[in-house]
Amino acid sequence: MLYLVPTPIGNLEDITLRALRILKEVDKIWAEDTRVTKRLLNHFQIPTPVGAFHAFNEHQITSGVVDQLKAGATFALVSDAGTPGISDPGFLLVRECVQEGVRVECLPGPTAFVPALAASGLPSDKFHFEGFLPHKKGRQTRLQYLSALPTTFILYESPNRLVKCLEQLGEFCGPERPACVARELTKIHEEIRTDTLANLAVYFKEKNVKGEIVVIVGGA
Ligand code: SAM
């Protein structure tokens, strides 16, 4: 059995009782960054062994991990924050588990885009999750595609690229398109600002933007 265990995106109170129990019970926790996960485990006094499973070794170790699962091991997979497999490692391992008949369960829990979308005031009945845009090659093509979508769409973005991203979105979607920037969700400096793309670009240009960011844009 493989458990995908979501972990807090800022506020440690967001870990679930079930996540804590599963993290205690499994034979091993595979973690994107073992140091980050060990800090979480120390906080909750969980002594389970931790191994590294990240973008740089997942191709090499996935088959070995699946073999251990087939032999009867029970593992948890965690990322640094949020839900594994959502703009984080996990897909390769889950796909191989599914192909090999290993049971996979994903616990419900924190993920950044859901609270951002729900609190944005933008239509949430249908949406497209884009994750991170490519920095260079393919960026214009994705922006073109996104700008024509009839539904709300969601991006993950870094603080130093936010203003450029909002300006480019304004060029492709039009400056008056409604959008939302959700920053530092669940943390002390949480900020959720909904306005036009043009106004958001001006507002964040004047600020020294810090923290983690979800950008949500209304449909065409
Ligand atoms: N697996 C995670 C999830 O379930 O949301 C996402 C991991 S991805 C590598 C990290 C990105 O998620 C950040 O760059 C940011 O765009 C977004 N993010 C994570 N935590 C956030 C927070 N507290 N507030 C806003 N965005 C956040």
PDB file of all heavy atoms in Angstrom, residues 130-164:
ATOM      1  N   GLU A 130      -3.145  24.899 -14.297  1.00  0.00           N
ATOM      2  CA  GLU A 130      -1.980  24.924 -15.194  1.00  0.00           C
ATOM      3  C   GLU A 130      -0.687  24.641 -14.434  1.00  0.00           C
ATOM      4  O   GLU A 130       0.268  24.138 -15.005  1.00  0.00           O
ATOM      5  CB  GLU A 130      -1.900  26.298 -15.888  1.00  0.00           C
ATOM      6  CG  GLU A 130      -0.731  26.498 -16.814  1.00  0.00           C
ATOM      7  CD  GLU A 130      -0.868  25.728 -18.129  1.00  0.00           C
ATOM      8  OE1 GLU A 130      -1.918  25.103 -18.348  1.00  0.00           O
ATOM      9  OE2 GLU A 130       0.084  25.743 -18.921  1.00  0.00           O
ATOM     10  N   GLY A 131      -0.626  24.994 -13.149  1.00  0.00           N
ATOM     11  CA  GLY A 131       0.641  24.861 -12.414  1.00  0.00           C
ATOM     12  C   GLY A 131       1.624  25.924 -12.876  1.00  0.00           C
ATOM     13  O   GLY A 131       1.230  27.034 -13.240  1.00  0.00           O
ATOM     14  N   PHE A 132       2.933  25.580 -12.890  1.00  0.00           N
ATOM     15  CA  PHE A 132       3.958  26.558 -13.289  1.00  0.00           C
ATOM     16  C   PHE A 132       4.001  26.699 -14.811  1.00  0.00           C
ATOM     17  O   PHE A 132       3.990  25.706 -15.526  1.00  0.00           O
ATOM     18  CB  PHE A 132       5.334  26.109 -12.804  1.00  0.00           C
ATOM     19  CG  PHE A 132       5.495  26.155 -11.310  1.00  0.00           C
ATOM     20  CD1 PHE A 132       5.369  24.998 -10.554  1.00  0.00           C
ATOM     21  CD2 PHE A 132       5.753  27.357 -10.665  1.00  0.00           C
ATOM     22  CE1 PHE A 132       5.517  25.041  -9.171  1.00  0.00           C
ATOM     23  CE2 PHE A 132       5.905  27.403  -9.283  1.00  0.00           C
ATOM     24  CZ  PHE A 132       5.784  26.238  -8.535  1.00  0.00           C
ATOM     25  N   LEU A 133       4.100  27.935 -15.286  1.00  0.00           N
ATOM     26  CA  LEU A 133       4.326  28.176 -16.714  1.00  0.00           C
ATOM     27  C   LEU A 133       5.792  27.896 -17.024  1.00  0.00           C
ATOM     28  O   LEU A 133       6.661  28.132 -16.173  1.00  0.00           O
ATOM     29  CB  LEU A 133       4.053  29.651 -17.051  1.00  0.00           C
ATOM     30  CG  LEU A 133       2.601  30.094 -17.183  1.00  0.00           C
ATOM     31  CD1 LEU A 133       2.543  31.607 -17.332  1.00  0.00           C
ATOM     32  CD2 LEU A 133       1.928  29.416 -18.370  1.00  0.00           C
ATOM     33  N   PRO A 134       6.103  27.444 -18.257  1.00  0.00           N
ATOM     34  CA  PRO A 134       7.525  27.332 -18.614  1.00  0.00           C
ATOM     35  C   PRO A 134       8.155  28.732 -18.608  1.00  0.00           C
ATOM     36  O   PRO A 134       7.483  29.706 -18.939  1.00  0.00           O
ATOM     37  CB  PRO A 134       7.499  26.749 -20.026  1.00  0.00           C
ATOM     38  CG  PRO A 134       6.095  26.839 -20.506  1.00  0.00           C
ATOM     39  CD  PRO A 134       5.197  27.073 -19.344  1.00  0.00           C
ATOM     40  N   HIS A 135       9.428  28.815 -18.210  1.00  0.00           N
ATOM     41  CA  HIS A 135      10.067  30.143 -18.136  1.00  0.00           C
ATOM     42  C   HIS A 135      10.342  30.711 -19.515  1.00  0.00           C
ATOM     43  O   HIS A 135      10.181  31.896 -19.751  1.00  0.00           O
ATOM     44  CB  HIS A 135      11.379  30.062 -17.344  1.00  0.00           C
ATOM     45  CG  HIS A 135      11.134  29.811 -15.891  1.00  0.00           C
ATOM     46  ND1 HIS A 135      12.134  29.627 -14.973  1.00  0.00           N
ATOM     47  CD2 HIS A 135       9.983  29.693 -15.199  1.00  0.00           C
ATOM     48  CE1 HIS A 135      11.601  29.408 -13.781  1.00  0.00           C
ATOM     49  NE2 HIS A 135      10.304  29.441 -13.903  1.00  0.00           N
ATOM     50  N   LYS A 136      10.772  29.842 -20.443  1.00  0.00           N
ATOM     51  CA  LYS A 136      11.141  30.368 -21.772  1.00  0.00           C
ATOM     52  C   LYS A 136      10.384  29.612 -22.858  1.00  0.00           C
ATOM     53  O   LYS A 136       9.328  30.033 -23.285  1.00  0.00           O
ATOM     54  CB  LYS A 136      12.657  30.237 -21.984  1.00  0.00           C
ATOM     55  CG  LYS A 136      13.465  31.184 -21.096  1.00  0.00           C
ATOM     56  CD  LYS A 136      14.890  31.326 -21.595  1.00  0.00           C
ATOM     57  CE  LYS A 136      15.672  32.292 -20.733  1.00  0.00           C
ATOM     58  NZ  LYS A 136      16.327  31.620 -19.592  1.00  0.00           N
ATOM     59  N   LYS A 137      10.965  28.478 -23.276  1.00  0.00           N
ATOM     60  CA  LYS A 137      10.400  27.745 -24.429  1.00  0.00           C
ATOM     61  C   LYS A 137       8.968  27.283 -24.118  1.00  0.00           C
ATOM     62  O   LYS A 137       8.723  26.658 -23.093  1.00  0.00           O
ATOM     63  CB  LYS A 137      11.287  26.531 -24.723  1.00  0.00           C
ATOM     64  CG  LYS A 137      11.089  25.944 -26.077  1.00  0.00           C
ATOM     65  CD  LYS A 137      12.249  24.989 -26.417  1.00  0.00           C
ATOM     66  CE  LYS A 137      11.967  24.233 -27.694  1.00  0.00           C
ATOM     67  NZ  LYS A 137      11.038  23.123 -27.513  1.00  0.00           N
ATOM     68  N   GLY A 138       8.057  27.633 -25.007  1.00  0.00           N
ATOM     69  CA  GLY A 138       6.676  27.183 -24.861  1.00  0.00           C
ATOM     70  C   GLY A 138       5.791  28.110 -24.044  1.00  0.00           C
ATOM     71  O   GLY A 138       4.586  27.899 -23.953  1.00  0.00           O
ATOM     72  N   ARG A 139       6.384  29.150 -23.447  1.00  0.00           N
ATOM     73  CA  ARG A 139       5.604  30.039 -22.575  1.00  0.00           C
ATOM     74  C   ARG A 139       4.494  30.779 -23.349  1.00  0.00           C
ATOM     75  O   ARG A 139       3.347  30.818 -22.919  1.00  0.00           O
ATOM     76  CB  ARG A 139       6.567  31.034 -21.900  1.00  0.00           C
ATOM     77  CG  ARG A 139       5.904  31.895 -20.828  1.00  0.00           C
ATOM     78  CD  ARG A 139       6.939  32.795 -20.176  1.00  0.00           C
ATOM     79  NE  ARG A 139       6.323  33.729 -19.255  1.00  0.00           N
ATOM     80  CZ  ARG A 139       6.174  33.507 -17.957  1.00  0.00           C
ATOM     81  NH1 ARG A 139       6.598  32.378 -17.418  1.00  0.00           N
ATOM     82  NH2 ARG A 139       5.597  34.399 -17.173  1.00  0.00           N
ATOM     83  N   GLN A 140       4.888  31.348 -24.496  1.00  0.00           N
ATOM     84  CA  GLN A 140       3.916  32.115 -25.295  1.00  0.00           C
ATOM     85  C   GLN A 140       2.758  31.219 -25.740  1.00  0.00           C
ATOM     86  O   GLN A 140       1.609  31.630 -25.727  1.00  0.00           O
ATOM     87  CB  GLN A 140       4.606  32.698 -26.538  1.00  0.00           C
ATOM     88  CG  GLN A 140       5.858  33.512 -26.228  1.00  0.00           C
ATOM     89  CD  GLN A 140       5.538  34.953 -25.902  1.00  0.00           C
ATOM     90  OE1 GLN A 140       4.635  35.519 -26.477  1.00  0.00           O
ATOM     91  NE2 GLN A 140       6.269  35.546 -24.974  1.00  0.00           N
ATOM     92  N   THR A 141       3.094  29.983 -26.119  1.00  0.00           N
ATOM     93  CA  THR A 141       2.057  29.041 -26.580  1.00  0.00           C
ATOM     94  C   THR A 141       1.066  28.751 -25.458  1.00  0.00           C
ATOM     95  O   THR A 141      -0.145  28.713 -25.666  1.00  0.00           O
ATOM     96  CB  THR A 141       2.726  27.710 -27.029  1.00  0.00           C
ATOM     97  OG1 THR A 141       3.833  28.032 -27.851  1.00  0.00           O
ATOM     98  CG2 THR A 141       1.759  26.824 -27.773  1.00  0.00           C
ATOM     99  N   ARG A 142       1.598  28.546 -24.246  1.00  0.00           N
ATOM    100  CA  ARG A 142       0.704  28.265 -23.105  1.00  0.00           C
ATOM    101  C   ARG A 142      -0.153  29.492 -22.790  1.00  0.00           C
ATOM    102  O   ARG A 142      -1.349  29.379 -22.510  1.00  0.00           O
ATOM    103  CB  ARG A 142       1.501  27.878 -21.844  1.00  0.00           C
ATOM    104  CG  ARG A 142       2.188  26.537 -21.851  1.00  0.00           C
ATOM    105  CD  ARG A 142       1.341  25.413 -22.356  1.00  0.00           C
ATOM    106  NE  ARG A 142       0.193  25.099 -21.525  1.00  0.00           N
ATOM    107  CZ  ARG A 142      -0.795  24.286 -21.900  1.00  0.00           C
ATOM    108  NH1 ARG A 142      -0.766  23.709 -23.078  1.00  0.00           N
ATOM    109  NH2 ARG A 142      -1.820  24.062 -21.092  1.00  0.00           N
ATOM    110  N   LEU A 143       0.455  30.691 -22.848  1.00  0.00           N
ATOM    111  CA  LEU A 143      -0.302  31.915 -22.549  1.00  0.00           C
ATOM    112  C   LEU A 143      -1.425  32.097 -23.567  1.00  0.00           C
ATOM    113  O   LEU A 143      -2.550  32.474 -23.210  1.00  0.00           O
ATOM    114  CB  LEU A 143       0.635  33.130 -22.531  1.00  0.00           C
ATOM    115  CG  LEU A 143       1.505  33.253 -21.280  1.00  0.00           C
ATOM    116  CD1 LEU A 143       2.653  34.236 -21.506  1.00  0.00           C
ATOM    117  CD2 LEU A 143       0.668  33.698 -20.077  1.00  0.00           C
ATOM    118  N   GLN A 144      -1.119  31.821 -24.821  1.00  0.00           N
ATOM    119  CA  GLN A 144      -2.120  31.917 -25.884  1.00  0.00           C
ATOM    120  C   GLN A 144      -3.276  30.959 -25.603  1.00  0.00           C
ATOM    121  O   GLN A 144      -4.448  31.333 -25.660  1.00  0.00           O
ATOM    122  CB  GLN A 144      -1.439  31.546 -27.218  1.00  0.00           C
ATOM    123  CG  GLN A 144      -2.272  31.820 -28.453  1.00  0.00           C
ATOM    124  CD  GLN A 144      -2.283  33.303 -28.780  1.00  0.00           C
ATOM    125  OE1 GLN A 144      -1.220  33.898 -28.890  1.00  0.00           O
ATOM    126  NE2 GLN A 144      -3.460  33.873 -28.898  1.00  0.00           N
ATOM    127  N   TYR A 145      -2.920  29.724 -25.262  1.00  0.00           N
ATOM    128  CA  TYR A 145      -3.928  28.701 -24.972  1.00  0.00           C
ATOM    129  C   TYR A 145      -4.793  29.129 -23.781  1.00  0.00           C
ATOM    130  O   TYR A 145      -6.025  29.079 -23.830  1.00  0.00           O
ATOM    131  CB  TYR A 145      -3.208  27.371 -24.690  1.00  0.00           C
ATOM    132  CG  TYR A 145      -4.098  26.302 -24.119  1.00  0.00           C
ATOM    133  CD1 TYR A 145      -4.905  25.531 -24.952  1.00  0.00           C
ATOM    134  CD2 TYR A 145      -4.141  26.057 -22.751  1.00  0.00           C
ATOM    135  CE1 TYR A 145      -5.733  24.545 -24.436  1.00  0.00           C
ATOM    136  CE2 TYR A 145      -4.965  25.078 -22.223  1.00  0.00           C
ATOM    137  CZ  TYR A 145      -5.760  24.325 -23.070  1.00  0.00           C
ATOM    138  OH  TYR A 145      -6.589  23.366 -22.540  1.00  0.00           O
ATOM    139  N   LEU A 146      -4.139  29.565 -22.721  1.00  0.00           N
ATOM    140  CA  LEU A 146      -4.863  29.918 -21.487  1.00  0.00           C
ATOM    141  C   LEU A 146      -5.808  31.097 -21.728  1.00  0.00           C
ATOM    142  O   LEU A 146      -6.926  31.133 -21.206  1.00  0.00           O
ATOM    143  CB  LEU A 146      -3.864  30.268 -20.368  1.00  0.00           C
ATOM    144  CG  LEU A 146      -3.008  29.101 -19.863  1.00  0.00           C
ATOM    145  CD1 LEU A 146      -1.896  29.615 -18.958  1.00  0.00           C
ATOM    146  CD2 LEU A 146      -3.855  28.076 -19.121  1.00  0.00           C
ATOM    147  N   SER A 147      -5.336  32.065 -22.509  1.00  0.00           N
ATOM    148  CA  SER A 147      -6.123  33.288 -22.702  1.00  0.00           C
ATOM    149  C   SER A 147      -7.473  32.997 -23.365  1.00  0.00           C
ATOM    150  O   SER A 147      -8.421  33.750 -23.184  1.00  0.00           O
ATOM    151  CB  SER A 147      -5.336  34.296 -23.544  1.00  0.00           C
ATOM    152  OG  SER A 147      -5.194  33.803 -24.860  1.00  0.00           O
ATOM    153  N   ALA A 148      -7.553  31.895 -24.113  1.00  0.00           N
ATOM    154  CA  ALA A 148      -8.804  31.581 -24.824  1.00  0.00           C
ATOM    155  C   ALA A 148      -9.719  30.655 -24.023  1.00  0.00           C
ATOM    156  O   ALA A 148     -10.842  30.381 -24.451  1.00  0.00           O
ATOM    157  CB  ALA A 148      -8.463  30.934 -26.167  1.00  0.00           C
ATOM    158  N   LEU A 149      -9.245  30.154 -22.879  1.00  0.00           N
ATOM    159  CA  LEU A 149     -10.065  29.213 -22.105  1.00  0.00           C
ATOM    160  C   LEU A 149     -11.343  29.894 -21.617  1.00  0.00           C
ATOM    161  O   LEU A 149     -11.291  31.026 -21.125  1.00  0.00           O
ATOM    162  CB  LEU A 149      -9.290  28.712 -20.879  1.00  0.00           C
ATOM    163  CG  LEU A 149      -8.183  27.695 -21.090  1.00  0.00           C
ATOM    164  CD1 LEU A 149      -7.505  27.403 -19.761  1.00  0.00           C
ATOM    165  CD2 LEU A 149      -8.743  26.413 -21.695  1.00  0.00           C
ATOM    166  N   PRO A 150     -12.473  29.202 -21.693  1.00  0.00           N
ATOM    167  CA  PRO A 150     -13.707  29.813 -21.192  1.00  0.00           C
ATOM    168  C   PRO A 150     -13.836  29.717 -19.666  1.00  0.00           C
ATOM    169  O   PRO A 150     -14.718  30.337 -19.082  1.00  0.00           O
ATOM    170  CB  PRO A 150     -14.805  28.971 -21.881  1.00  0.00           C
ATOM    171  CG  PRO A 150     -14.169  27.657 -22.152  1.00  0.00           C
ATOM    172  CD  PRO A 150     -12.694  27.900 -22.339  1.00  0.00           C
ATOM    173  N   THR A 151     -12.983  28.916 -19.036  1.00  0.00           N
ATOM    174  CA  THR A 151     -13.080  28.717 -17.579  1.00  0.00           C
ATOM    175  C   THR A 151     -11.964  29.460 -16.840  1.00  0.00           C
ATOM    176  O   THR A 151     -10.934  29.809 -17.425  1.00  0.00           O
ATOM    177  CB  THR A 151     -12.925  27.225 -17.226  1.00  0.00           C
ATOM    178  OG1 THR A 151     -11.644  26.794 -17.718  1.00  0.00           O
ATOM    179  CG2 THR A 151     -14.015  26.381 -17.857  1.00  0.00           C
ATOM    180  N   THR A 152     -12.171  29.621 -15.554  1.00  0.00           N
ATOM    181  CA  THR A 152     -11.118  30.121 -14.665  1.00  0.00           C
ATOM    182  C   THR A 152      -9.870  29.240 -14.810  1.00  0.00           C
ATOM    183  O   THR A 152      -9.993  28.028 -14.967  1.00  0.00           O
ATOM    184  CB  THR A 152     -11.635  30.035 -13.203  1.00  0.00           C
ATOM    185  OG1 THR A 152     -12.804  30.851 -13.105  1.00  0.00           O
ATOM    186  CG2 THR A 152     -10.595  30.487 -12.201  1.00  0.00           C
ATOM    187  N   PHE A 153      -8.677  29.851 -14.779  1.00  0.00           N
ATOM    188  CA  PHE A 153      -7.463  29.018 -14.771  1.00  0.00           C
ATOM    189  C   PHE A 153      -6.502  29.430 -13.662  1.00  0.00           C
ATOM    190  O   PHE A 153      -6.540  30.565 -13.171  1.00  0.00           O
ATOM    191  CB  PHE A 153      -6.778  28.958 -16.146  1.00  0.00           C
ATOM    192  CG  PHE A 153      -6.271  30.263 -16.692  1.00  0.00           C
ATOM    193  CD1 PHE A 153      -4.981  30.710 -16.395  1.00  0.00           C
ATOM    194  CD2 PHE A 153      -7.053  31.035 -17.527  1.00  0.00           C
ATOM    195  CE1 PHE A 153      -4.482  31.891 -16.908  1.00  0.00           C
ATOM    196  CE2 PHE A 153      -6.574  32.239 -18.050  1.00  0.00           C
ATOM    197  CZ  PHE A 153      -5.294  32.665 -17.733  1.00  0.00           C
ATOM    198  N   ILE A 154      -5.670  28.472 -13.270  1.00  0.00           N
ATOM    199  CA  ILE A 154      -4.866  28.615 -12.053  1.00  0.00           C
ATOM    200  C   ILE A 154      -3.391  28.378 -12.349  1.00  0.00           C
ATOM    201  O   ILE A 154      -3.034  27.386 -12.993  1.00  0.00           O
ATOM    202  CB  ILE A 154      -5.326  27.585 -10.996  1.00  0.00           C
ATOM    203  CG1 ILE A 154      -6.821  27.765 -10.712  1.00  0.00           C
ATOM    204  CG2 ILE A 154      -4.517  27.711  -9.722  1.00  0.00           C
ATOM    205  CD1 ILE A 154      -7.431  26.605  -9.950  1.00  0.00           C
ATOM    206  N   LEU A 155      -2.554  29.285 -11.869  1.00  0.00           N
ATOM    207  CA  LEU A 155      -1.102  29.177 -12.059  1.00  0.00           C
ATOM    208  C   LEU A 155      -0.397  29.182 -10.709  1.00  0.00           C
ATOM    209  O   LEU A 155      -0.851  29.853  -9.772  1.00  0.00           O
ATOM    210  CB  LEU A 155      -0.567  30.387 -12.830  1.00  0.00           C
ATOM    211  CG  LEU A 155      -1.106  30.665 -14.223  1.00  0.00           C
ATOM    212  CD1 LEU A 155      -0.653  32.053 -14.678  1.00  0.00           C
ATOM    213  CD2 LEU A 155      -0.591  29.614 -15.176  1.00  0.00           C
ATOM    214  N   TYR A 156       0.704  28.477 -10.618  1.00  0.00           N
ATOM    215  CA  TYR A 156       1.633  28.648  -9.504  1.00  0.00           C
ATOM    216  C   TYR A 156       2.746  29.584  -9.991  1.00  0.00           C
ATOM    217  O   TYR A 156       3.208  29.448 -11.133  1.00  0.00           O
ATOM    218  CB  TYR A 156       2.224  27.305  -9.064  1.00  0.00           C
ATOM    219  CG  TYR A 156       1.292  26.460  -8.221  1.00  0.00           C
ATOM    220  CD1 TYR A 156       1.581  25.131  -7.947  1.00  0.00           C
ATOM    221  CD2 TYR A 156       0.128  26.990  -7.665  1.00  0.00           C
ATOM    222  CE1 TYR A 156       0.744  24.350  -7.156  1.00  0.00           C
ATOM    223  CE2 TYR A 156      -0.709  26.220  -6.877  1.00  0.00           C
ATOM    224  CZ  TYR A 156      -0.399  24.898  -6.625  1.00  0.00           C
ATOM    225  OH  TYR A 156      -1.223  24.130  -5.837  1.00  0.00           O
ATOM    226  N   GLU A 157       3.181  30.509  -9.158  1.00  0.00           N
ATOM    227  CA  GLU A 157       4.187  31.481  -9.596  1.00  0.00           C
ATOM    228  C   GLU A 157       5.126  31.822  -8.441  1.00  0.00           C
ATOM    229  O   GLU A 157       4.756  31.725  -7.275  1.00  0.00           O
ATOM    230  CB  GLU A 157       3.474  32.746 -10.125  1.00  0.00           C
ATOM    231  CG  GLU A 157       4.335  33.726 -10.861  1.00  0.00           C
ATOM    232  CD  GLU A 157       5.241  33.099 -11.928  1.00  0.00           C
ATOM    233  OE1 GLU A 157       6.293  32.545 -11.549  1.00  0.00           O
ATOM    234  OE2 GLU A 157       4.913  33.184 -13.119  1.00  0.00           O
ATOM    235  N   SER A 158       6.357  32.208  -8.788  1.00  0.00           N
ATOM    236  CA  SER A 158       7.307  32.617  -7.755  1.00  0.00           C
ATOM    237  C   SER A 158       7.226  34.133  -7.582  1.00  0.00           C
ATOM    238  O   SER A 158       6.835  34.843  -8.518  1.00  0.00           O
ATOM    239  CB  SER A 158       8.724  32.197  -8.132  1.00  0.00           C
ATOM    240  OG  SER A 158       9.144  32.961  -9.226  1.00  0.00           O
ATOM    241  N   PRO A 159       7.598  34.660  -6.398  1.00  0.00           N
ATOM    242  CA  PRO A 159       7.411  36.090  -6.141  1.00  0.00           C
ATOM    243  C   PRO A 159       8.195  36.992  -7.089  1.00  0.00           C
ATOM    244  O   PRO A 159       7.691  38.028  -7.512  1.00  0.00           O
ATOM    245  CB  PRO A 159       7.887  36.267  -4.689  1.00  0.00           C
ATOM    246  CG  PRO A 159       8.613  35.024  -4.343  1.00  0.00           C
ATOM    247  CD  PRO A 159       8.116  33.936  -5.233  1.00  0.00           C
ATOM    248  N   ASN A 160       9.413  36.578  -7.477  1.00  0.00           N
ATOM    249  CA  ASN A 160      10.216  37.461  -8.337  1.00  0.00           C
ATOM    250  C   ASN A 160       9.729  37.482  -9.785  1.00  0.00           C
ATOM    251  O   ASN A 160      10.157  38.312 -10.571  1.00  0.00           O
ATOM    252  CB  ASN A 160      11.711  37.103  -8.258  1.00  0.00           C
ATOM    253  CG  ASN A 160      11.961  35.648  -8.503  1.00  0.00           C
ATOM    254  OD1 ASN A 160      11.041  34.836  -8.393  1.00  0.00           O
ATOM    255  ND2 ASN A 160      13.178  35.293  -8.855  1.00  0.00           N
ATOM    256  N   ARG A 161       8.821  36.571 -10.131  1.00  0.00           N
ATOM    257  CA  ARG A 161       8.283  36.545 -11.499  1.00  0.00           C
ATOM    258  C   ARG A 161       6.846  37.021 -11.558  1.00  0.00           C
ATOM    259  O   ARG A 161       6.236  37.048 -12.630  1.00  0.00           O
ATOM    260  CB  ARG A 161       8.329  35.115 -12.049  1.00  0.00           C
ATOM    261  CG  ARG A 161       9.704  34.579 -12.180  1.00  0.00           C
ATOM    262  CD  ARG A 161       9.696  33.144 -12.685  1.00  0.00           C
ATOM    263  NE  ARG A 161      11.018  32.820 -13.148  1.00  0.00           N
ATOM    264  CZ  ARG A 161      11.433  33.017 -14.392  1.00  0.00           C
ATOM    265  NH1 ARG A 161      10.622  33.514 -15.299  1.00  0.00           N
ATOM    266  NH2 ARG A 161      12.654  32.722 -14.733  1.00  0.00           N
ATOM    267  N   LEU A 162       6.265  37.365 -10.383  1.00  0.00           N
ATOM    268  CA  LEU A 162       4.835  37.666 -10.354  1.00  0.00           C
ATOM    269  C   LEU A 162       4.446  38.828 -11.265  1.00  0.00           C
ATOM    270  O   LEU A 162       3.514  38.716 -12.066  1.00  0.00           O
ATOM    271  CB  LEU A 162       4.382  37.964  -8.903  1.00  0.00           C
ATOM    272  CG  LEU A 162       2.932  38.411  -8.782  1.00  0.00           C
ATOM    273  CD1 LEU A 162       1.970  37.283  -9.186  1.00  0.00           C
ATOM    274  CD2 LEU A 162       2.610  38.889  -7.373  1.00  0.00           C
ATOM    275  N   VAL A 163       5.168  39.951 -11.177  1.00  0.00           N
ATOM    276  CA  VAL A 163       4.761  41.140 -11.929  1.00  0.00           C
ATOM    277  C   VAL A 163       4.859  40.870 -13.433  1.00  0.00           C
ATOM    278  O   VAL A 163       3.930  41.175 -14.186  1.00  0.00           O
ATOM    279  CB  VAL A 163       5.617  42.365 -11.515  1.00  0.00           C
ATOM    280  CG1 VAL A 163       5.346  43.545 -12.437  1.00  0.00           C
ATOM    281  CG2 VAL A 163       5.322  42.738 -10.066  1.00  0.00           C
ATOM    282  N   LYS A 164       5.963  40.241 -13.850  1.00  0.00           N
ATOM    283  CA  LYS A 164       6.116  39.903 -15.269  1.00  0.00           C
ATOM    284  C   LYS A 164       4.963  38.998 -15.718  1.00  0.00           C
ATOM    285  O   LYS A 164       4.387  39.168 -16.803  1.00  0.00           O
ATOM    286  CB  LYS A 164       7.462  39.205 -15.489  1.00  0.00           C
ATOM    287  CG  LYS A 164       7.729  38.871 -16.937  1.00  0.00           C
ATOM    288  CD  LYS A 164       9.056  38.140 -17.111  1.00  0.00           C
ATOM    289  CE  LYS A 164       9.088  37.512 -18.494  1.00  0.00           C
ATOM    290  NZ  LYS A 164       9.854  36.297 -18.570  1.00  0.00           N
TER     291      LYS A 164
END
